[in-house]
């Protein structure tokens, strides 16, 4: 295996993992300075300069960061508090398995579902109408396609909370949290002390890597913001594709500048992840 | 307190089932506008699409594509994971391997579209498989790197020390130890491919209509009934895995 | 390892350099006579890209056109989803990559897509005169021989003709606005009940307003005029910004496409939707999306009428088969079928006077529209399309002024 894997593994790694990234970055770079593309006429920094004057990029990056932070924080807190309070039931009852379902909810379906539930003419609005709380769809709070990204966050929570719940389920056994908790109680700690000082810190320490992965997934999300996001600000993937497919062909280089910025941010975060992994404390 | 816990738990179970329940109602209901809480009519048109219509075609296409992606990603990830795991620059290689996996598929696809057109793969099933495979493969590498631990290596070397051949080591030692991980990786890469939308749309050039593409297609037609039915079909594998053999699939 | 990485870098740049070279097209010689064309087309597979946002249109293509070109001409017609800017960016990338055989053969296009594809030299032609059925087409009508002020010149074949219409629900709105000032008054009296989408329908609406502001059709006819655009669009944005706080969601966001707009209307979130096709209301009622009390109408001050066309890509590998398919789509039978409200409700581009009597009768006996206005009644309210740059600019400026512009 060693010899075989050494030979073929190197090739596969080069072709499958390195080449796509190197090609993408190289091509995007060339395109962004006018060295590639159907309308390109030679080297220029004009597209790089243009991007900054339009005041779209920075809001989009900040908005993406805000949405992914919110999603991550809420998913983690919700999942952790459910789990800490209900882990016994969660681990024993077969009904707990129901949460595999939303976890496997494809982003596309989560977006569709969120829209059908939370929009002004959606299912909750209809419930509210029947309870007499609202008289028209307009009176229903703006939860999808709203400027604060509420719809995007809710759609992501639909899969994010289960993601962490299931992860905690595995972790709880691996990290023998029950044993530590019993020990802590035997030593005279209260239940709430055990939760705050033992259980939650273990969950946090052990899930740091997944927290970051989840953050990155939401950061680059496309399907959900496309369906339930507002038109301004747009998340980074949506904006990139919009520029790529815009009526005006002259906007295409800007799409590649966005792609480069996105990759740079991603690399920076991955480096941080490594720092986190290497210094667990 | 106990009752409260029970209530909360029950509520959570209900919440978990809610998407399934509501999607079913949407998929079978017709003529259903604000402020009606319940559909006016019921109809099986959307359901019948699964057997003879676009949805059925998409179901087969998606199954076929995802199976190919999962097989190749798992097999190659198994080998490459070994390579990365025992490489002196393991830490750096792993960082690189993470990159495609966490990248936004549509952004990467935007940059790679040129390449796919160049090699004549846009609008072909092979192109879609290849594009999805990149992401699944990157996941599989990350998945298998911890699997090829120093202990595994020690066991493998022990076989050689005891006079075993590479083939014997593979057949009698490594393979039995790998089956569970391979199965898990297969199902997870299958799901990664199964739900992929953006990259399929771009590289498929609108011609390769997998289930997620079909869901969006119906949403764009404002055809809620069909969109909901296609969504249910899209959730099918997760549902099957959950009920049939979750123990083999998830790290439980 | 280092060596491998180096090899990839070299490979990468070779590929890109290769792509920068000008694509060379292989000149194809087409058969000269139509029977030869049909023979050459037999057994071929043709890929057609079109907007697939309407189940009725999709059904017309899948259940009528596809089987008929198969049985009559032995051609496999495959339908793919893609329109407007997506098509332009796909074909542009194909040209960049120097691809010699396009993945698209036939494309459903008009206006600014036609303009951009002509710029890219991505359209094959002139070909329309080669089609036997083109003799029936009403080529003397300016609404058919001109596409967004550009002469069609045989580079795209007219397929259908439609006029922009507003759709409302008679149970909710008794007297719908008939012009710009009435619309403004209505919106102010009913805050939050009106919006437009950011794609074709919404942009066509904006162009109609622009023509009205400029004082009528004649002012903006002809090629794009920057000074005029600046002058009249400033008034347009002023008009819209004045109304913006009263739009759905206070004009902070807009539906992405016309399907979303229709859905908002169906769910009673807004009171108007619009369509580039005056007949669409009939098929949306039949689908059950709109209530039976929905009606389409055209403003007294007029709305834009335009044609939509079929083009062939320069690098299509199946030009004879593409021509045969387009010829079929222009046949009196296919045009008649398409015009029936239950099927699609799309206006024909044929001059029925040129048809033999029995075929003319077929058109005259099309069951009437139930919810849409009569074609003949709205013809005198038709406005011509503007040059494509107007639409491109309006799309960009709408975003700048109305979506991103925070100051009222």
């Amino acid at each position: 295996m060693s010899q075989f894997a050494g030979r073929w593994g190197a090739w596969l790694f080069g072709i499958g993992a390195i080449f796509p990234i190197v090609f993408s970055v190289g091509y995007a770079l060339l395109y962004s300075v006018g060295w590639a593309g159907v309308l390109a006429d030679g080297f220029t920094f004009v597209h790089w300069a243009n991007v900054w004057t339009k005041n779209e990029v920075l809001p989009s990056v900040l908005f993406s960061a805000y949405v992914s932070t919110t999603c991550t924080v809420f998913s983690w807190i919700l999942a952790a508090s459910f789990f800490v309070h209900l882990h016994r039931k969660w681990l024993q009852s077969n009904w707990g398995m129901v949460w595999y379902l939303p976890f496997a909810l494809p982003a596309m379906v989560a977006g569709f579902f969120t829209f059908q539930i939370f929009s002004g003419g959606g299912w909750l609005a209809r419930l509210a109408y029947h309870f007499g709380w609202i008289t028209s769809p307009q009176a229903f709070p703006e939860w999808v396609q709203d400027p604060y990204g509420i719809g995007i966050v809710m759609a992501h929570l639909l899969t994010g909370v289960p993601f962490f719940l299931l992860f905690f389920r595995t972790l709880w056994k691996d990290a023998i949290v029950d044993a530590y908790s019993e020990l802590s109680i035997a030593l005279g700690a209260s239940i709430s002390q055990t939760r705050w000082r033992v259980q939650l810190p273990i969950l946090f320490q052990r899930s740091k890597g997944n927290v970051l992965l989840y953050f990155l997934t939401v950061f680059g999300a496309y399907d959900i913001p496309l369906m339930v996001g507002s038109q301004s600000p747009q998340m980074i993937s949506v904006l990139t594709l919009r520029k790529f497919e815009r009526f005006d062909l002259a906007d295409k280089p800007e799409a590649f500048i966005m792609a480069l910025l996105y990759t740079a941010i991603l690399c920076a975060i991955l480096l941080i992840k490594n720092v986190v992994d290497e210094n667990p404390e | 307190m106990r009752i409260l816990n029970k209530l909360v738990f029950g509520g959570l179970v209900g919440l978990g089932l809610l998407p399934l329940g509501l999607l079913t109602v949407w998929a079978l209901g017709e003529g259903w506008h604000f402020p009606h809480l319940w559909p006016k009519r019921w109809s099986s048109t959307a359901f019948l699409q699964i057997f003879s219509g676009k949805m059925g075609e998409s179901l087969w296409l998606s199954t076929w594509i995802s199976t190919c992606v999962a097989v190749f990603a798992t097999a190659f990830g198994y080998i490459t994971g070994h390579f990365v795991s025992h490489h002196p620059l393991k830490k750096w290689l792993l960082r690189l391997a993470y990159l495609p996996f966490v990248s936004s598929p549509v952004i990467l696809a935007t940059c790679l579209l040129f390449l796919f057109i160049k090699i004549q793969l846009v609008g072909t099933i092979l192109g879609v498989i290849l594009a999805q495979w990149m992401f699944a493969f990157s996941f599989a590498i990350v998945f298998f790197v911890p699997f090829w631990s120093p202990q595994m290596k020690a066991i493998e070397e022990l076989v050689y020390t005891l006079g075993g051949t590479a083939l014997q080591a593979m057949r009698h030692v490594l393979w039995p130890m790998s089956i569970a991980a391979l199965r898990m990786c297969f199902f997870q890469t299958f799901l990664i491919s199964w739900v992929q939308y953006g990259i399929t749309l771009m590289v498929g050039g609108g011609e390769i209509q997998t289930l997620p593409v079909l869901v969006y297609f119906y949403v764009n037609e404002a055809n809620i009934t069909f969109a909901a039915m296609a969504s249910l079909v899209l959730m099918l594998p997760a549902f099957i895995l959950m009920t049939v053999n979750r123990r083999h699939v998830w790290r439980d | 390892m280092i060596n491998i990485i180096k090899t990839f870098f070299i490979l990468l740049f070779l590929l890109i350099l290769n792509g920068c070279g000008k694509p060379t097209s292989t000149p194809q010689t087409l058969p000269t006579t139509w029977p030869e064309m049909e023979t050459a087309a037999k057994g071929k597979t043709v890929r057609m890209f079109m907007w697939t946002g309407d189940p009725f249109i999709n059904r017309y293509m899948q259940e009528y056109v596809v089987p008929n070109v198969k049985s009559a001409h032995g051609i496999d017609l495959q339908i793919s989803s893609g329109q407007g800017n997506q098509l332009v960016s796909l074909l542009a990338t194909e040209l960049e990559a120097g691809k010699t055989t396009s993945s698209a053969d036939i494309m459903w296009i008009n206006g600014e897509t036609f303009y951009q594809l002509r710029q890219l030299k991505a359209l094959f032609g002139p070909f329309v005169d080669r089609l036997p059925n083109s003799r029936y087409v009403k080529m003397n009508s300016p609404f058919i021989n001109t596409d967004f002020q550009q002469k069609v010149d045989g580079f795209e074949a007219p397929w259908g003709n439609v006029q922009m219409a507003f759709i409302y629900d008679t149970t909710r709105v008794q007297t719908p606005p008939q012009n710009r000032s009435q619309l403004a008054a209505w919106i102010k009296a009913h805050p939050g009940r009106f919006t437009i989408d950011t794609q074709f329908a919404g942009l066509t609406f904006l162009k109609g307003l622009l023509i009205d502001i400029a004082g009528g059709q004649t002012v903006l006819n002809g090629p794009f005029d920057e000074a005029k655009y600046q002058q009249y669009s400033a008034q347009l944005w002023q008009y819209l910004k004045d109304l913006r706080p009263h739009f759905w969601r206070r004009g902070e966001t807009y539906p992405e496409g016309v399907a979303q707009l229709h859905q908002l209307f169906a769910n009673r979130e807004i009171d108007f939707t619009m369509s580039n096709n005056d007949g669409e209301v009939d098929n949306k009622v039949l689908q059950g999306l709109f209530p039976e009390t929905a009606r389409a109408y055209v403003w007294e001050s007029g709305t834009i009428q335009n044609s939509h066309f079929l083009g062939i890509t320069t690098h299509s590998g199946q030009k004879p088969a593409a021509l045969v398919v387009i010829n079929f789509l222009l046949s009196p039978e296919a045009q008649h079928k398409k015009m029936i409200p239950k099927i699609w409700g799309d206006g024909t581009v044929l001059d029925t006077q040129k048809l033999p009597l029995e075929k003319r009768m077929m058109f005259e006996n099309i069951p009437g529209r139930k919810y849409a206005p009569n074609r003949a009644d709205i013809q005198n309210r038709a406005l011509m399309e503007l040059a494509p740059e107007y639409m491109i600019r309006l799309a960009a400026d709408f975003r700048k002024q109305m979506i991103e512009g925070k100051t009222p």
Side-chain angles (χ1 to χ4, degrees):
Chain A
M1 184 68 197
S2 287
Q3 255 188 345
F4 177 76
R7 202 170 332 119
W8 290 100
W11 275 103
L12 285 169
F13 190 73
I15 295 169
I18 296 179
F19 178 67
I21 295 286
V22 172
F23 180 89
S24 297
V25 172
Y27 181 67
L29 212 57
L30 291 182
Y31 211 113
S32 74
V33 295
W35 269 346
V38 75
L39 293 182
D41 15 74
F43 184 78
T44 171
F45 271 128
V46 85
H47 305 300
W48 280 90
N50 273 349
V51 160
W52 301 107
T53 58
K54 282 194 184 159
N55 198 29
E56 285 175 314
V57 178
L58 197 64
S60 168
V61 171
L62 291 178
F63 182 66
S64 303
Y66 147 77
V67 167
S68 37
T69 311
T70 315
C71 288
T72 315
V73 169
F74 273 96
S75 307
W76 197 91
I77 291 180
L78 282 174
S81 47
F82 292 153
F83 206 86
V84 167
H85 283 96
L86 296 166
H87 61 268
R88 214 151 279 141
K89 269 209 130 41
W90 216 256
L91 294 169
Q92 287 158 7
S93 164
N94 273 330
W95 281 106
M97 299 312 294
V98 161
W99 276 86
Y100 279 117
L101 265 184
F103 170 59
L105 209 63
M108 172 105 325
V109 180
F112 170 70
F113 181 76
T114 308
F115 189 87
Q116 294 300 320
I117 290 272
F118 294 109
S119 69
W123 206 67
L124 278 184
R126 296 172 192 203
L127 269 182
Y129 176 87
H130 284 277
F131 281 118
W133 295 335
I134 59 168
T135 49
S136 79
Q138 266 166 286
F140 194 72
E142 289 161 16
W143 281 344
V144 295
Q145 294 170 330
D146 62 297
Y148 307 105
I150 299 173
I152 307 179
V153 171
M154 284 197 294
H156 276 113
L157 289 187
L158 215 60
T159 51
V161 174
F163 171 73
F164 283 112
L165 277 178
L166 296 178
F167 178 68
F168 291 157
R169 194 186 157 98
T170 318
L171 206 163
W172 199 267
K173 288 180 189 162
D174 281 1
I176 45 169
V177 182
D178 273 333
Y180 284 120
S181 307
E182 276 162 28
L183 184 68
S184 141
I185 285 170
L187 292 174
S190 69
I191 292 182
S192 98
Q193 275 172 328
T194 308
R195 273 176 195 155
W196 283 98
R197 300 275 174 83
V198 179
Q199 297 174 342
L200 285 173
I202 295 178
L203 289 185
F204 182 69
Q205 278 302 330
R206 297 284 293 255
S207 63
K208 268 196 299 199
N210 277 32
V211 165
L212 203 65
L213 282 185
Y214 182 72
F215 176 89
L216 289 177
T217 314
V218 181
F219 191 72
Y222 177 70
D223 316 15
I224 288 179
L226 184 70
M227 292 178 95
V228 292
S230 147
Q231 282 183 323
S232 170
Q234 285 180 320
M235 283 184 75
I236 201 159
S237 291
V238 181
L239 183 64
T240 306
L241 213 68
R242 197 188 84 214
K243 283 185 171 292
F244 184 67
E245 289 184 337
R246 192 116 94 181
F247 285 117
D248 198 346
L249 282 176
D251 271 352
K252 244 176 118 181
E254 289 179 21
F256 290 102
I257 296 178
M258 297 286 305
L260 285 171
L261 287 174
Y262 170 78
T263 315
I265 295 172
L266 213 61
C267 290
I269 296 176
L270 279 180
L271 281 177
I272 297 173
K273 173 184 156 51
N274 273 281
V275 174
V276 172
D277 288 351
E278 281 161 29
N279 312 292
E281 219 34 49
Chain B
M1 193 63 202
R2 286 223 122 161
I3 292 175
L4 184 73
N5 272 357
K6 257 188 189 155
L7 272 178
V8 171
F9 184 75
L12 284 174
V13 169
L15 218 59
L17 285 172
L18 189 72
L20 194 67
L22 277 179
L23 282 171
T24 312
V25 178
W26 285 325
L28 299 174
E30 258 184 5
W32 192 20
H33 301 304
F34 187 88
H36 304 295
L37 268 180
W38 214 238
K40 268 194 212 158
R41 299 181 293 275
W42 297 94
S43 151
S44 58
T45 327
F47 181 67
L48 294 174
Q49 275 277 312
I50 301 176
F51 305 102
S52 62
K54 249 197 175 134
M55 242 178 267
E57 286 168 28
S58 285
L59 178 61
W60 284 120
L61 185 68
S62 272
T63 311
W64 166 232
I65 289 178
S66 297
T67 308
C68 287
V69 169
V71 165
F72 287 109
T74 307
F76 293 165
Y78 183 73
I79 299 166
T80 314
H82 187 281
F83 161 76
V84 172
S85 191
H86 299 314
H87 199 278
L89 293 173
K90 170 181 169 186
K91 222 184 296 167
W92 281 100
L93 294 185
L94 194 57
R95 276 174 215 197
L96 279 172
Y98 259 106
L99 210 48
F101 167 50
V102 295
S103 279
S104 159
V106 286
I107 294 185
L108 200 54
T110 304
C111 299
L112 289 173
L113 189 62
F114 174 84
L115 181 70
F116 276 91
I117 286 177
K118 194 92 202 159
I119 52 181
Q120 312 266 345
L121 284 180
V122 165
T124 64
I125 295 180
L126 185 65
V128 171
I129 291 176
L130 194 66
Q132 293 191 348
W133 172 79
M134 281 174 356
F135 294 89
F137 175 59
S138 154
F139 167 84
I141 297 176
V142 174
F143 180 94
F144 278 113
V145 166
F147 171 83
W148 293 110
S149 58
Q151 289 94 303
M152 274 300 257
K153 196 176 170 79
I155 291 169
E156 192 187 339
E157 273 160 8
L158 187 67
V159 178
Y160 302 138
T161 318
L162 296 173
T165 64
L167 198 68
Q168 281 172 323
M170 192 66 219
R171 231 175 103 187
H172 299 292
V173 181
L174 294 180
W175 181 248
M177 288 179 81
S178 314
I179 283 183
L182 283 169
R183 188 158 42 198
M184 195 143 72
C185 187
F186 175 85
F187 283 116
Q188 300 207 349
T189 45
F190 184 90
L191 284 182
I192 288 176
S193 154
W194 186 257
V195 301
Q196 196 58 253
Y197 167 70
I199 203 166
T200 314
L201 185 74
M202 290 196 78
V203 176
E207 292 160 42
I208 309 299
Q209 283 203 326
T210 59
L211 281 168
V213 176
L214 197 66
V215 171
Y216 197 68
F217 172 87
Y218 288 136
V219 168
N220 254 345
E221 272 191 348
N223 195 341
I224 304 310
T225 317
F226 279 37
M229 185 52 82
S231 296
L232 280 178
V233 178
L234 198 51
M235 288 175 73
L236 209 64
F239 191 71
I240 293 172
L241 297 188
M242 186 190 99
T243 47
V244 178
N245 61 352
R246 64 188 161 85
R247 210 150 294 140
H248 300 306
V249 178
W250 310 91
R251 232 190 286 255
D252 212 19
Chain C
M1 193 65 213
I2 303 292
N3 273 329
I4 292 174
I5 295 175
K6 221 195 257 164
T7 320
F8 278 123
F9 265 107
I10 294 166
L11 227 123
L12 162 73
F13 286 105
L14 277 179
L15 263 172
I16 290 173
L17 282 179
N18 190 9
C20 291
K22 291 276 167 288
T24 48
S25 70
T26 42
Q28 265 177 314
T29 43
L30 286 175
T32 42
T33 69
W34 191 252
E36 282 169 14
M37 195 80 82
E38 286 185 315
T39 319
K42 203 151 247 143
K44 298 294 191 311
T45 300
V46 175
R47 193 169 292 283
M48 172 165 172
F49 274 75
M50 56 180 275
W51 176 67
T52 49
D54 185 304
F56 274 46
I57 299 177
N58 295 337
R59 207 174 306 156
Y60 169 74
M61 294 305 296
Q62 291 296 349
E63 291 173 14
Y64 174 72
V65 178
V66 170
N68 272 294
V69 293
K70 177 77 187 164
S71 62
H73 305 284
I75 296 173
D76 276 312
L77 178 64
Q78 299 190 348
I79 308 290
S80 290
S81 173
Q83 60 157 338
N85 38 357
Q86 292 168 349
L87 271 177
V88 175
S89 77
L90 176 70
L91 290 182
T93 315
E94 281 190 356
L95 289 173
E96 282 158 15
K99 200 175 174 193
T100 47
T101 313
S102 177
S103 50
D105 298 305
I106 303 175
M107 296 168 298
W108 183 14
I109 52 175
N110 78 351
E112 87 305 319
T113 311
F114 177 62
Y115 166 75
Q116 294 198 316
L117 293 179
R118 285 293 312 259
Q119 271 195 324
L120 290 172
K121 296 195 171 44
L123 284 177
F124 163 75
F127 70 85
V128 177
D129 286 343
R130 311 193 68 151
L131 308 172
N133 284 329
S134 70
R135 69 199 140 136
Y136 300 130
V137 175
K138 206 193 286 173
M139 270 302 183
N140 54 2
S141 159
F143 290 100
I144 287 174
N145 64 27
T146 311
D147 185 11
F148 283 50
Q149 306 282 330
Q150 313 154 85
K151 281 281 164 213
V152 167
D153 283 341
F155 279 85
E156 51 177 3
W159 188 25
N161 178 274
V162 287
Q163 188 164 345
M164 155 105 186
F166 295 88
I167 297 165
Y168 69 106
D169 182 347
T170 47
T171 60
R172 287 185 260 164
V173 179
Q174 273 71 44
T175 42
Q178 293 289 350
N179 54 42
R180 188 157 46 102
S181 57
Q182 285 180 16
L183 178 71
W186 190 92
I187 292 175
K188 283 181 179 162
H190 305 85
R193 308 292 299 170
F194 183 89
T195 192
I196 63 173
D197 74 303
T198 55
Q199 286 182 5
F200 291 96
L203 288 168
T204 310
F205 168 73
L206 293 182
K207 276 186 283 187
L209 288 180
L210 195 70
I211 293 174
D212 192 31
I213 287 171
Q217 181 78 67
T218 46
V219 184
L220 294 177
N221 266 352
F224 180 74
D225 184 326
E226 178 72 36
K228 282 183 187 165
Y229 175 75
Q230 291 294 347
Q231 184 190 344
Y232 299 123
S233 70
Q235 291 180 46
L236 172 67
W237 305 129
Q238 202 43 57
Y239 170 81
L240 289 172
K241 280 180 178 170
D242 183 38
L243 294 173
R244 193 180 130 158
H246 311 288
F247 272 11
W248 176 75
R249 297 286 180 85
R250 300 168 303 282
E252 283 163 5
T253 192
Y254 298 83
E256 180 71 37
V258 76
Q260 266 191 21
L261 193 72
H262 287 343
Q263 231 183 315
L264 287 175
F265 171 73
N267 274 331
R268 296 169 168 256
E269 274 195 74
I270 53 174
D271 286 331
F272 286 93
T273 181
M274 50 191 80
S275 171
N276 271 341
N277 177 357
D278 44 296
E280 187 179 3
V281 64
D282 274 82
N283 86 34
K284 284 288 175 295
V285 172
L286 286 169
Q287 268 172 49
L289 183 65
F290 291 171
E292 283 173 13
T293 45
R295 292 288 178 281
Y297 77 109
V298 166
W299 279 6
E300 281 163 5
S301 59
T303 56
I304 284 180
Q305 184 184 107
N306 69 26
S307 294
H308 42 97
F309 299 82
L310 297 164
I312 300 176
T313 51
T314 315
H315 293 295
S316 160
Q318 305 295 347
K319 292 195 182 99
L323 286 166
V324 171
V325 170
I326 293 179
N327 190 55
F328 172 80
L329 292 170
L330 291 184
S331 66
E333 290 75 19
Q335 287 275 317
H336 164 256
K337 192 101 182 168
K338 183 163 70 79
M339 203 169 168
I340 299 170
K342 264 197 319 202
I343 308 278
W344 174 349
D346 188 29
T348 182
V349 292
L350 303 185
D351 184 349
T352 47
Q353 298 306 317
K354 289 183 187 168
L355 295 174
L357 183 67
E358 87 191 272
K359 295 208 165 137
R360 197 191 315 156
M361 291 308 289
M362 202 164 75
F363 277 91
E364 279 162 15
N365 288 326
I366 288 180
R369 300 163 154 205
K370 260 171 111 175
Y371 313 102
N374 222 322
R375 243 2 248 282
D377 299 342
I378 59 175
Q379 184 61 43
N380 58 357
R381 295 181 178 184
L383 303 173
M384 293 265 291
E385 275 286 4
L386 300 178
E389 292 95 328
Y390 284 106
M391 177 162 168
I392 294 173
R393 290 291 290 275
L394 282 174
D397 286 345
F398 182 76
R399 179 155 270 287
K400 214 184 288 166
Q401 301 278 347
M402 298 292 288
I403 301 179
E404 276 147 20
K406 298 293 179 217
T407 44

